[in-house]
Amino acid sequence: MKIATVVGARPQFIKAAPVSRVLRRAHQEILIHTGQHYDANMSDIFFDELHIPRPDFHLGIGSGRHGAQTGSILEKVEDVLIQETPDALLVYGDTNSTLAGALAASKLHIPVIHIEAGLRSFNRRMPEEINRVLTDHLSSRLFCPTETAVKNLAAEGITKGVFQNGDVMYDAFLYNLELAKEKSNILQTQGLNPKSYVLCTIHRAENTDDPARLTQILKAVSKISVPVVLPLHPRTRKIVHQLGLTSLLERVKVLEPVGYLDMIALEANTLKLVTDSGGVQKEAYFAGVPCITMRDETEWVETVEVGWNCLTGADEEKILEAVERFAPPEHRPTIFGEGKAAEQFVEMMDKEG
């Protein structure tokens, strides 16, 4: 079988890596990088260190307004699909590349496979939510990481071609945690001891584009009693400067964006994780680290239900209280599978033909 895979950002390459390793044993994969997110860290070292296959096509789309970006990706992916004539198209998650790839394939009558199907925040103001919903309704095979995701699809009338196979991100985390132990020295270079700091990430538009929310978050971060490590995205840094909020970061150890292995090392050794990232919430769970999520809702409701994640919104007092008092139970249920989601995905694909 010949499968075209569309990815658009570094996190999607990381998710795709464990699937590609298994898929390419018996099938041909064409990897298409849309270039939706420019990432200077995606050098040769990135692919070599993480054992990730390099893209066969790089479309060089770049950033832009949602409509223009999605349209450009759709047009260029369509050209590749016409040239390569794959048997199916595989997409991950909820980016504009995900939706554009699914649209291009469906209009060419190429079956769409969606990994990370069924996730819902039920907040239609999030572009990612629109992308998820539409991609699921365009897909003929939907691979869900959790039981909740399967139920979400059923509630929308999608029951055919739905499979629960665990989370490929867990596969990637387990694989790369061992690499991080071997190759990352970020704790030493930053003078950090394990379990002596709080790791924080802030990047989601609902927080960074809202001055009131961002101010509340930074006020809370500035008052956390233990050292805070904050790898800061350039866009967030620019907004902080524009709003005159840089003084709130004087007590914070602000880092340039870090590579994936360094990020895993920081996550695995932090006391608690304070974030607005969907992926980081899961990685906190994988690492057995309490997570405080500075959002009003989450796609990963299971992590909240089992007591390892709490939602604070962008509320200074709630964030500080959670950092001081939030403690998960001893038991951490297996809700994302056993770390073999990629193998189960390929097995199901082969079985279904």
Side-chain angles (χ1 to χ4, degrees):
M1 185 183 296
K2 184 178 183 180
I3 295 178
T5 297
V6 172
V7 291
R10 183 174 63 148
Q12 289 183 315
F13 271 95
I14 292 165
K15 294 170 189 174
V19 175
S20 292
R21 277 193 287 270
V22 181
L23 186 64
R24 293 182 179 209
R25 293 173 191 165
H27 303 284
Q28 181 184 1
E29 182 184 32
I30 305 296
L31 193 57
I32 305 166
H33 179 22
T34 68
Q36 176 182 333
H37 294 154
Y38 173 75
D39 193 329
N41 287 319
M42 283 186 63
S43 61
D44 287 346
I45 294 173
F46 168 79
F47 293 99
D48 291 341
E49 279 196 342
L50 302 185
H51 307 157
I52 293 174
R54 286 172 171 76
D56 299 288
F57 294 89
H58 193 305
L59 306 185
I61 299 298
S63 60
R65 297 189 311 274
H66 285 288
Q69 187 183 63
T70 305
S72 296
I73 297 170
L74 194 160
E75 180 181 8
K76 291 194 175 184
V77 168
E78 182 182 57
D79 289 341
V80 175
L81 296 181
I82 291 171
Q83 175 184 329
E84 292 292 331
T85 61
D87 299 299
L89 177 113
L90 173 60
V91 291
Y92 292 83
D94 53 22
T95 67
N96 288 342
S97 296
T98 306
L99 175 58
L103 281 167
S106 64
K107 289 178 180 291
L108 293 171
H109 308 294
I110 297 170
V112 176
I113 304 162
H114 188 198
I115 287 182
E116 288 189 319
L119 304 186
R120 296 292 182 269
S121 68
F122 303 101
N123 178 1
R124 290 293 179 94
R125 292 182 61 83
M126 292 174 60
E128 296 90 346
E129 184 78 352
I130 303 300
N131 292 342
R132 292 179 196 125
V133 173
L134 294 177
T135 300
D136 283 340
H137 283 266
L138 290 169
S139 299
S140 56
R141 294 182 187 177
L142 304 97
F143 288 86
C144 300
T146 64
E147 184 180 347
T148 301
V150 174
K151 291 177 180 177
N152 288 339
L153 292 177
E156 296 174 16
I158 304 174
T159 56
K160 185 178 178 182
V162 174
F163 308 90
Q164 183 183 345
N165 68 310
D167 196 323
V168 296
M169 193 170 168
Y170 188 33
D171 296 25
F173 183 86
L174 293 175
Y175 185 89
N176 290 305
L177 180 60
E178 295 306 310
L179 292 180
K181 289 176 181 177
E182 176 188 336
K183 297 182 177 181
S184 175
N185 63 352
I186 191 161
L187 266 68
Q188 295 90 326
T189 59
Q190 296 299 326
L192 299 170
N193 293 317
K195 305 302 179 183
S196 68
Y197 62 91
V198 166
L199 178 63
C200 179
T201 74
I202 311 164
H203 84 278
R204 194 168 289 274
E206 66 190 79
N207 287 330
T208 60
D209 294 355
D210 186 323
R213 290 180 69 93
L214 185 58
T215 301
Q216 285 279 300
I217 287 170
L218 293 181
K219 281 183 176 179
V221 170
S222 72
K223 296 176 182 177
I224 293 173
S225 59
V226 298
V228 175
V229 177
L230 174 62
L232 197 59
H233 191 281
R235 181 176 176 276
T236 307
R237 186 190 293 266
K238 181 179 178 182
I239 293 170
V240 169
H241 179 73
Q242 289 173 342
L243 294 175
L245 300 174
T246 51
S247 63
L248 295 175
L249 294 177
E250 288 177 355
R251 293 181 59 249
V252 175
K253 192 176 188 67
V254 178
L255 307 181
E256 294 295 322
V258 299
Y260 182 58
L261 294 183
D262 285 341
M263 188 63 182
I264 284 184
L266 288 171
E267 290 170 345
N269 289 284
T270 187
L271 190 63
K272 290 182 180 177
L273 227 165
V274 182
T275 188
D276 60 8
S277 163
V280 171
Q281 289 175 61
K282 278 198 300 181
E283 287 172 346
Y285 192 83
F286 300 157
V289 171
C291 186
I292 294 135
T293 299
M294 301 178 292
R295 287 171 54 190
D296 301 317
E297 72 284 308
T298 178
E299 306 80 22
W300 305 108
V301 293
E302 299 90 349
T303 61
V304 176
E305 290 170 352
V306 300
W308 276 80
N309 187 5
C310 68
L311 302 177
T312 63
D315 185 296
E316 178 186 351
E317 291 185 6
K318 289 182 179 179
I319 295 167
L320 284 171
E321 182 180 5
V323 172
E324 293 297 325
R325 300 184 182 180
F326 175 61
E330 289 187 14
H331 180 56
R332 185 161 47 98
T334 303
I335 55 179
F336 294 106
E338 302 288 345
K340 298 187 180 298
E343 292 179 15
Q344 291 181 26
F345 161 73
V346 175
E347 286 174 9
M348 291 174 184
M349 285 289 299
D350 290 343
K351 190 180 297 184
E352 293 292 312

